[in-house]
Amino acid sequence: MKIKNNWIEPRFPKEQVKKAGVILISSDISPEDYERAFTILHNWRSSHAFPMQIMLDFLRTNALRVDQKALAVQRLKRVPSIIGKLEREQNMNLSRMEDIAGCRAVVSDVKQVLELYENLKKSRTQKEIYRQRDYISKPKESGYRGIHLIYKYHGNKALFDGMPVELQIRSKIQHSWATAVEVVGTFTKQSLKSSYGDSEWLDFFKYASVEFAKLEGYPCDEKFKDEDTFKKLDNYVKSLDLYVRLNAFKVAIDKLGGNKKNGDYYYILRLDLKESKIRIYGYKKTDLTQATAFYDDEEKKFENDPSKDLVLVSAESLADLKKAYPNYFSDTDEFTKNIKKVYSQNKKMDEISKLGKFISNMSDELMGKK
């Protein structure tokens, strides 16, 4: 890999990157061609690190203006996720995939999500908003809510010009929902966030999403307006034995691997589904080359082992890492708390409704209507 100022540069023309994507999902290909395609993929993915860091700084600066406790992190898409997307989406081109590099900001509530969204759109920057998706006004089929912005890098480093980076903005409640979907999907080996998998889990998360939106004072989706969404949610909580299952997904953190000193910035997380353990390898900001090389080696080592799940992410501290990527620590505590808030809110609404009926009946009796 060619390195300049510690940033990995793209070594292959886009046509070769596109061809590598086709090879990686082909059934009839030689081992040599497959290995070369993997080499191209790893370099292409790693070369997104520079534009991703630029966009993270941009996102974090704007997020902190909206919420002083905002959390902003970044991640490179995992190889299984990249290949899965190439397989699912017929016309997907590896050289044009927009979410290989991703940055995420989590702010306190949906009002701040929308404020940050507006601020980003108004910001004067060389970076170009290429595409924007408002999954709050129009949630995904899965129930996912948040704002996604695709930026293209334009700056002083011509080699990275035009490279896309996806920015995600979520409220804490929306983030807890997305986390739970990933945790359940990981442990049940289903792509629930892409709306593939067991219908009971898929429907449960759809109704949970609607009820969570109500907690934030957001209007109910049009297609659910005539349904008793809380009753449906309650039925799934019971039939799925939700709390017992989520608690069973929790993992123990293995000893910290790699650099144990403070100041780590890049982290490789290796989740072992069989042993319910996670191992963390930390690298300093100046050690991207080593981190990426180790990440590539680990993915190749466990390529055919479905019990291992790996990701390379960055965060200012381990504490931030756990907050931003609770799905890798199987932490669904916030999701569970929000489910309980839904029950509390609906109990209050039921009590208010009963009180209203009681007052109405008393009024009728006093007016001699009964």
Side-chain angles (χ1 to χ4, degrees):
M1 293 181 180
K2 185 180 178 183
I3 308 297
K4 185 178 181 181
N5 295 332
N6 202 44
W7 298 113
I8 297 166
E9 298 176 353
R11 292 197 292 117
F12 304 94
K14 286 188 177 180
E15 273 304 310
Q16 289 189 33
V17 175
K18 178 182 177 181
K19 186 178 178 181
V22 174
I23 290 171
L24 288 169
I25 59 173
S26 298
S27 56
D28 185 20
I29 199 74
S30 71
E32 294 78 16
D33 285 344
Y34 189 78
E35 183 65 27
R36 175 170 168 75
F38 243 99
T39 299
I40 293 172
L41 167 60
H42 281 295
N43 171 257
W44 181 245
R45 178 181 64 173
S46 299
S47 66
H48 283 70
F50 173 73
M52 182 172 65
Q53 182 62 49
I54 297 297
M55 293 311 306
L56 178 66
D57 293 341
F58 171 67
L59 178 62
R60 180 181 286 125
T61 298
N62 280 277
L64 290 173
R65 288 172 183 162
V66 169
D67 179 0
Q68 292 184 350
K69 294 184 179 180
L71 189 65
V73 292
Q74 63 181 356
R75 68 96 182 97
L76 287 173
K77 199 173 185 73
R78 298 175 303 125
V79 166
S81 297
I82 292 174
I83 293 176
K85 191 165 187 174
L86 290 169
E87 290 173 335
R88 285 194 311 272
E89 301 183 23
Q90 193 172 9
N91 297 318
M92 179 54 62
N93 177 338
L94 179 59
S95 69
R96 296 205 308 265
M97 193 175 288
E98 297 173 342
D99 61 346
I100 290 176
C103 301
R104 177 186 301 150
V106 180
V107 291
S108 293
D109 54 47
V110 71
K111 182 181 177 182
Q112 290 179 339
V113 170
L114 298 174
E115 185 181 347
L116 177 53
Y117 176 35
E118 290 302 318
N119 289 352
L120 290 173
K121 288 193 293 182
K122 293 174 184 175
S123 294
R124 292 183 178 182
T125 175
Q126 285 182 301
K127 281 74 74 177
E128 165 199 358
I129 295 183
Y130 177 68
R131 199 188 308 279
Q132 45 192 306
R133 299 180 177 97
D134 180 355
Y135 294 125
I136 294 178
S137 297
K138 294 183 179 179
K140 285 188 177 184
E141 176 63 23
S142 63
Y144 175 85
R145 295 167 197 264
I147 301 288
H148 288 197
L149 301 171
I150 306 296
Y151 277 82
K152 286 196 172 181
Y153 170 80
H154 295 297
N156 299 326
K157 293 185 180 291
L159 275 171
F160 304 100
D161 195 64
M163 276 193 164
V165 179
E166 181 183 64
L167 305 191
Q168 299 177 357
I169 317 169
R170 301 174 184 168
S171 70
K172 288 182 177 179
I173 286 180
Q174 290 166 347
H175 188 50
S176 75
W177 181 94
T179 293
V181 170
E182 291 211 37
V183 169
V184 175
T186 297
F187 279 87
T188 60
K189 296 181 173 59
Q190 303 176 82
S191 187
L192 298 176
K193 67 178 184 178
S194 299
S195 296
Y196 293 98
D198 179 74
S199 61
E200 196 170 16
W201 276 116
L202 290 171
D203 287 341
F204 161 71
F205 280 116
K206 286 178 186 177
Y207 289 115
S209 173
V210 173
E211 290 299 314
F212 281 14
K214 291 178 185 177
L215 286 180
E216 298 205 83
Y218 218 74
C220 182
D221 303 32
E222 186 69 20
K223 63 182 177 181
F224 294 112
K225 69 176 183 178
D226 296 324
E227 289 192 58
D228 187 341
T229 53
F230 172 68
K231 185 175 180 180
K232 295 282 182 69
L233 176 71
D234 181 48
N235 288 337
Y236 284 120
V237 167
K238 292 171 181 173
S239 65
L240 289 167
D241 204 0
L242 182 73
Y243 302 121
V244 172
R245 287 202 188 188
L246 291 184
N247 190 57
F249 292 150
K250 286 191 176 182
V251 300
I253 301 176
D254 202 353
K255 64 180 181 178
L256 183 65
N259 187 350
K260 299 182 182 181
K261 297 178 182 178
N262 292 331
D264 286 345
Y265 184 75
Y266 294 104
Y267 296 90
I268 293 166
L269 310 181
R270 190 178 75 206
L271 178 62
D272 188 317
L273 301 177
K274 284 183 179 177
E275 297 185 10
S276 291
K277 288 185 178 181
I278 188 168
R279 182 145 191 178
I280 309 166
Y281 299 87
Y283 292 84
K284 291 188 179 297
K285 206 167 188 176
T286 53
D287 295 335
L288 175 63
T289 309
Q290 296 94 311
T292 305
F294 182 70
Y295 182 35
D296 289 349
D297 289 342
E298 287 287 284
E299 282 203 314
K300 288 177 183 176
K301 184 192 301 183
F302 297 110
E303 181 184 351
N304 298 312
D305 186 348
S307 70
K308 302 293 190 300
D309 201 4
L310 292 114
V311 68
L312 170 63
V313 298
S314 79
E316 295 291 335
S317 66
L318 269 173
D320 281 355
L321 181 72
K322 292 172 186 176
K323 289 177 187 175
Y325 296 97
N327 48 303
Y328 273 88
F329 298 89
S330 298
D331 185 355
T332 54
D333 287 350
E334 285 303 310
F335 177 78
T336 301
K337 287 177 186 176
N338 288 326
I339 288 287
K340 290 177 179 178
K341 285 180 185 176
V342 167
Y343 274 83
S344 178
Q345 183 71 16
N346 277 273
K347 183 179 179 182
K348 287 178 184 176
M349 295 301 293
D350 186 49
E351 289 173 351
I352 290 171
S353 177
K354 288 178 181 177
L355 180 60
K357 288 179 182 177
F358 174 76
I359 292 172
S360 178
N361 289 337
M362 289 296 293
S363 177
D364 287 345
E365 287 183 14
L366 290 171
M367 296 296 290
K369 292 182 179 180
K370 287 192 176 182

